[in-house]
Amino acid sequence: MKKKEPIRVAQIIGKWVGGGVEAVVMNYYRHINREKIQFDFICDSDSTNIPYEEIESLGGRVILIPPYQKTFKYHKELKKTLIENEYKIVHSHINTLSIFPLYAAKKAGVPVRIAHSHSTTNSKEWKRNILKQILRPFSKIFATNYMCCSELAGRWLFGNKVYNKGKVYLLNNAIDLEKFSYDEKIRNKKRKELGIKKNQLVIGHIGRFMTQKNHTFLIDIFNEIHKENNDAVLILVGQGPLLENMRKKVNQLKLTDYVQFLGQRNDVNELYQVFDAFLLPSLYEGLGVVLIEAQCSGLPCVCSNKVPKEARIINNYEALDLKSDKEVWAMHTLRIIKNSKRKDYKNLIKKANYDIDKESKNLEKYYFLEVKKNAE
């Protein structure tokens, strides 16, 4: 008897640059039943950091197409790809820009077209926001289904009326709980690797070097922490367009010996063990999966009040106003570290529905149900 082929889902990633959205989609891909559901990743041809080997080893495919800025080529290539592969589902992760792939998907006759909101916006990124605000009202036009990573992200893209009617499916940015649980042995081993003393204070951050993540303010906060504790270290993980600007700022503040730029890493779960606190002063977040990972690792977290409330799970968590001075942020960070005891919080994370084993099964059911509904 011939084995039944899995349902192939076209995951529209856009520009793959090693950010949080890609991490979330890959996390689901690793844990979903791939004998029943398979992913194909449709990415812009100028993407970087695509994990080709892992995707192919899991049975998936990477398909490169021209970036959406080349509108006609993009539409033509994407439509052709969707028709040739006879996809039943297109799942777009590019927020307001989903209008472009979902239009092509409609023209290609794809029955299930999911628009997924992973983010919001902020006035400081006004140039970037112009396109977002123009496209936002059209985000629902070519979609058959709406999805979001938090209530805030869902309401922002699809509107209060649609959200209140229960038409937006909330898919949690779930994680592998065992992978991110606190481990004293890994902490000691990794600190030794990085040349950090056992009792040295380490502030950590994981995120792309872009305006949204607010690295300028983060480094200012660390500078104040360093004045109070001149042995403190800041570890920054990630890459992005503002990386060199941040290196210059660190140099100007004479903090070069106390700030480690680690670039893109595959061992972030172990790096969380090294930190004593996690800082995320973002201008906005759809959710902030790094905060879920950090809390699972038992880290006290200090973030901006622009992060959705769903991200708060443990008590060792403070949300501060971005209008507050860097000194205030530094004081709160030092205080929360002093009053916190590092331990394993995976059971709390699981209770809050961020367990990838459970959530991946929910996504499987969702895909199957939508395909079935459209086949009737």
Side-chain angles (χ1 to χ4, degrees), residues 7 21 61 93 120 122 129 133 138 143 194 200 264 272-273 290 292 333 352:
I7 294 170
V21 173
R61 296 178 294 209
H93 300 274
T120 57
N122 182 275
N129 288 349
Q133 298 299 353
F138 305 103
L194 295 169
Q200 200 167 2
Q264 197 76 19
Y272 283 116
Q273 314 297 338
V290 287
I292 310 302
T333 303

Side-chain angles (χ1 to χ4, degrees), residues 6-10 37-40 59-61 85 87-89:
I7 294 170
R8 282 206 172 259
V9 181
I37 304 280
Q38 262 296 345
F39 288 1
D40 285 348
R61 296 178 294 209
N85 290 287
Y87 294 108
K88 299 286 191 297
I89 305 174

Side-chain angles (χ1 to χ4, degrees), residues 320-338:
L320 301 179
D321 197 315
L322 287 170
K323 292 175 184 174
S324 297
D325 295 335
K326 56 191 177 183
E327 293 87 358
V328 172
W329 277 71
M331 179 191 72
H332 277 267
T333 303
L334 288 168
R335 188 180 69 190
I336 199 171
I337 293 169
K338 187 180 177 183

